[in-house]
Amino acid sequence: MNKALRNPLVFFLFILPALILFTMFFIYPIFSSIYYSFTSWNGVSDTVKSAGISNFEKALGDERFWISVKNNGFFILFSCFVQVPLIILFSLLISNVKKLKGLYKTAVFMPSIMSTAVIGILWGFIYEPNIGLLNKVLGLIGIDPLYWLSDERFAMLSILITNAWQWTGFYIVMVLAAILSIPGELDEAAAIDGATGFQRATRITLPLIVPIISVVIMLSIAGAMKAADIVIVMTKGGPAGSTDVMATYMIKYAITNFKYGYGNAIAVLIFVFTLVVTAVYQLLIARRTERIEY
Amino acid sequence: MPRALKKSLPHVALLSYLLVILFPFLFVLFSSVKKDNNAIALNPFGIPKEFVFNNYVEAWVNAKISTYFFNSLYISILASVVSIILASMFAFAVTRMRQGKWNTILFTLVMVGMLIPNNALMLPIYTIVRKMGILNTHWALIIPYIANAIPFTIIILAAFMRSLPREIEEAAVMDGLKAPGIFAKIIVPLTVPAMVTVFIVNFLGNWNEFLLANYFLSNDELRTLPVGMVQFRDQYQMNYAQMSAGIVFSVLPVIVIYAILQEKIIEGVTAGGVKG
């Protein structure tokens, strides 16, 4: 047919710039990470010494690494068992109200477009023991000031709440879009058959939004695995490493302590864990939910 | 249950959620016009009795908001625009040019890129940036930001370009246009709506980015707004009134843009999904 769109040279020139950047910043870093994870390189010197699997042995034997893994786990559990129910509840509520729908949607979404760093600062102020909002509110019901961010018992929880505060609205809007795209006839038919609002929500809408909930959980897992900035801004991993996540643990070693090889071993472990969690989720849960036919 | 109560119950729940979202902002706004920590401690919830706007002046100077703001602004815009140019060329090639299986292979490769947890790639990227000799310059952020946005941008733009009818190019070819001409004169103008959406998402991503900006720059004059704000907080830890004014400065532009473009922003950000 036409030759204009079949010219291989032009094709090549069109894809080249993006492909170069993609190779440099996605493909090469993966292989580079894997390679250096088997070395004891400090990131600066000219000689790179092989270290076998000792970096991995060291990481898997380090209690503080496992604390950071556990904290990533808390991120995931908190999103699945606290955020997801709230997301479902509030998206159903917003979809059912007639007035103020736009306002709710706009306001709820707002925190997710803001910088995590600034939100970390803002919440640091809220958690401030003496003048912060939270202790002042708790003071009204007679609870003594708590040291939210510097007490090991509360620090991680405080971060999780901040993270949920920022992202719950984002997912609510996503689920809301799915609910609003369900044909209205389904709901009307059920209403004519005498189903109450609650029945319609749980028997009709909920089963229909299971796929999007599944997407929300996948995104939360992906987000949980790369969480880092909020921890750095709010606690720097403290007190005593109790709020470190894998990414901040990696940064601590590689950039602050010049253990570049070791840092890359952590990066590889982050890949592996992300793959494992995603695969487990897909096999155990996502598959099973797909069997619910509607 | 009485009808009125039943009707208002969802609103009660939603308004309390709204309060949880909005009150922290109000708290910061009120604190920013209070005299000092003491004034905040005495009257944490309400509007201050006397307004002190000096905090804004001090924060603007001490936090160097203007410097950080313009650094963030031009880095974010430049990186977003360049990613869109490069990604639209790529998307045009794989969706509109007939190169058989190469189209599929290249597109799949980019899709895989979306799945990589990019924070984990920070160390090798740090080394690349250092080897390029651009560490501690703005290029150390601009180039990785461009690259980072490319997979997402390609996927959204390619989906849009694929939906354009084939006949358009056939007519253009008849008129004697070559591939670059078709791209620049036909496809790009038609893709503008999708480009606006990805621009917003990329811009917000770059504007808010913290990790690279925190570790790849050490010169104070070069810092971006999120990093500058954290540093400002660390320096003036004790002065919460002034810090609140700093927060207002850094949040206000985003809120204004959001108020104007909220529909586009919500559409774009949720389409991306993975950006957060």
Side-chain angles (χ1 to χ4, degrees):
Chain A
M1 210 188 62
N2 60 66
K3 282 206 182 101
L5 290 167
R6 280 178 191 275
N7 186 338
L9 181 67
V10 177
F11 178 81
F12 184 69
L13 290 177
F14 263 91
I15 61 163
L16 192 62
L19 199 61
I20 289 176
L21 281 174
F22 185 75
T23 315
M24 265 176 77
F25 288 92
F26 285 90
I27 298 175
Y28 168 77
I30 293 180
F31 290 104
S32 156
S33 259
I34 295 173
Y35 170 74
Y36 285 112
S37 69
F38 293 103
T39 69
S40 58
W41 194 38
N42 63 6
V44 205
S45 72
D46 293 330
T47 51
V48 178
K49 252 196 282 174
S50 168
I53 57 162
S54 66
N55 285 329
F56 292 97
E57 285 175 343
K58 189 181 154 206
L60 297 176
D62 182 3
E63 195 200 344
R64 292 182 48 193
F65 174 69
W66 286 109
I67 291 176
S68 69
V69 175
K70 200 176 72 190
N71 285 334
N72 280 108
F74 282 144
F75 264 97
I76 294 176
L77 292 178
F78 199 83
S79 13
C80 292
F81 294 106
V82 179
Q83 276 179 267
V84 167
L86 287 176
I87 291 164
I88 296 173
L89 174 71
F90 284 113
S91 50
L92 284 173
L93 284 179
I94 296 178
S95 72
N96 278 319
V97 296
K98 293 201 174 55
K99 284 179 200 154
L100 301 177
K101 204 177 243 169
L103 170 76
Y104 290 137
K105 193 175 147 185
T106 309
V108 151
F109 192 78
M110 193 170 65
S112 57
I113 56 162
M114 287 181 187
S115 149
T116 305
V118 172
I119 285 186
I121 297 173
L122 198 165
W123 275 81
F125 182 21
I126 290 173
Y127 287 130
E128 208 281 338
N130 298 315
I131 62 169
L133 184 61
L134 188 57
N135 275 347
K136 288 288 175 193
V137 173
L138 293 176
L140 294 178
I141 51 170
I143 297 175
D144 285 336
L146 295 168
Y147 289 78
W148 292 101
L149 292 174
S150 47
D151 187 325
E152 278 189 37
R153 287 173 300 166
F154 304 123
M156 196 62 213
L157 181 69
S158 307
I159 291 177
L160 293 175
I161 290 172
T162 310
N163 188 57
W165 183 84
Q166 184 176 13
W167 291 108
T168 305
F170 171 83
Y171 294 122
I172 289 177
V173 171
M174 246 174 100
V175 175
L176 186 63
I179 293 178
L180 294 180
S181 71
I182 296 172
E185 294 89 52
L186 287 175
D187 218 48
E188 284 159 24
I192 291 169
D193 288 347
T196 63
F198 180 75
Q199 282 173 329
R200 294 203 302 273
T202 52
R203 302 281 171 79
I204 297 191
T205 315
L206 201 56
L208 287 173
I209 55 169
V210 166
I212 189 83
I213 302 288
S214 189
V215 172
V216 166
I217 295 177
M218 280 303 301
L219 291 176
S220 307
I221 293 176
M225 295 311 277
K226 53 185 190 185
D229 39 9
I230 190 154
V231 173
I232 292 175
V233 173
M234 292 190 73
T235 63
K236 299 194 170 65
S242 63
T243 54
D244 260 327
V245 287
M246 285 190 276
T248 60
Y249 179 89
M250 171 188 93
I251 291 168
K252 249 180 206 172
Y253 277 94
I255 295 184
T256 326
N257 295 339
F258 292 102
K259 290 190 174 162
Y260 189 80
Y262 186 61
N264 274 304
I266 306 296
V268 171
L269 288 173
I270 295 177
F271 284 137
V272 174
F273 285 150
T274 311
L275 275 178
V276 170
V277 174
T278 318
V280 166
Y281 174 75
Q282 286 292 343
L283 287 174
L284 288 183
I285 314 220
R287 265 230 196 126
R288 198 175 294 166
T289 53
E290 267 160 35
R291 280 195 216 127
I292 303 170
E293 289 294 329
Y294 43 81
Chain B
M1 221 185 313
R3 234 182 108 78
L5 180 71
K6 212 172 157 186
K7 264 202 144 166
S8 59
L9 212 57
H11 283 287
V12 172
L14 286 167
L15 286 172
S16 18
Y17 185 76
L18 225 58
L19 191 72
V20 172
I21 295 296
L22 297 179
F23 202 71
F25 291 113
L26 280 183
F27 177 55
V28 165
L29 193 63
F30 291 157
S31 300
S32 70
V33 287
K34 285 173 187 169
K35 197 162 149 268
D36 49 20
N37 287 2
N38 207 13
I40 299 173
L42 287 174
N43 175 18
F45 308 115
I47 302 169
K49 285 187 195 75
E50 45 170 342
F51 288 78
V52 183
F53 292 103
N54 201 24
N55 292 320
Y56 283 90
V57 182
E58 301 246 308
W60 184 268
V61 178
N62 287 338
K64 301 189 207 81
I65 304 261
S66 54
T67 316
Y68 301 147
F69 185 88
F70 287 108
N71 285 343
S72 272
L73 191 67
Y74 104 85
I75 291 176
S76 308
I77 292 178
L78 182 62
S80 313
V81 168
V82 177
S83 339
I84 288 176
I85 295 172
L86 302 185
S88 60
M89 285 163 65
F90 188 99
F92 170 74
V94 296
T95 58
R96 310 302 289 192
M97 295 184 76
R98 282 138 222 199
Q99 296 294 327
K101 63 177 194 295
W102 279 105
N103 290 350
T104 329
I105 294 172
L106 286 166
F107 192 69
T108 317
L109 186 72
V110 171
M111 291 277 276
V112 173
M114 287 286 285
L115 301 174
I116 300 166
N118 44 6
N119 279 354
L121 299 179
M122 200 181 133
L123 304 180
I125 292 175
Y126 183 81
T127 332
I128 294 171
V129 166
R130 211 189 52 218
K131 276 188 194 143
M132 288 167 82
I134 55 174
L135 200 63
N136 209 15
T137 68
H138 279 158
W139 293 108
L141 299 185
I142 294 170
I143 296 175
Y145 287 177
I146 295 171
N148 203 14
I150 276 182
F152 164 74
T153 313
I154 288 178
I155 286 166
I156 299 287
L157 293 183
F160 192 88
M161 287 182 188
R162 215 171 263 139
S163 69
L164 301 173
R166 282 262 169 232
E167 290 77 32
I168 300 174
E169 287 127 340
E170 278 158 24
V173 172
M174 294 294 179
D175 291 345
L177 277 179
K178 294 262 185 330
I182 295 175
F183 172 70
K185 289 188 185 144
I186 315 273
I187 301 292
V188 168
L190 287 172
T191 317
V192 165
M195 286 180 174
V196 172
T197 309
V198 278
F199 176 81
I200 293 171
V201 180
N202 291 347
F203 177 84
L204 283 174
N206 297 338
W207 178 266
N208 291 336
E209 203 279 334
F210 177 75
L211 279 186
L212 301 192
N214 191 34
Y215 291 102
F216 290 12
L217 303 176
S218 49
N219 191 335
D220 188 43
E221 292 299 305
L222 297 176
R223 284 188 211 285
T224 58
L225 198 54
V227 182
M229 284 303 301
V230 171
Q231 186 193 267
F232 173 62
R233 186 228 15 212
D234 292 343
Q235 265 172 17
Y236 294 85
Q237 187 71 277
M238 292 303 130
N239 191 342
Y240 282 97
Q242 198 188 117
M243 199 187 72
S244 299
I247 295 177
V248 173
F249 274 130
S250 64
V251 163
L252 202 62
V254 182
I255 291 186
V256 170
I257 296 169
Y258 181 60
I260 302 167
L261 290 171
Q262 48 149 315
E263 281 301 318
K264 266 284 184 209
I265 292 176
I266 292 180
E267 175 199 327
V269 177
T270 46
V274 253
K275 264 288 176 173

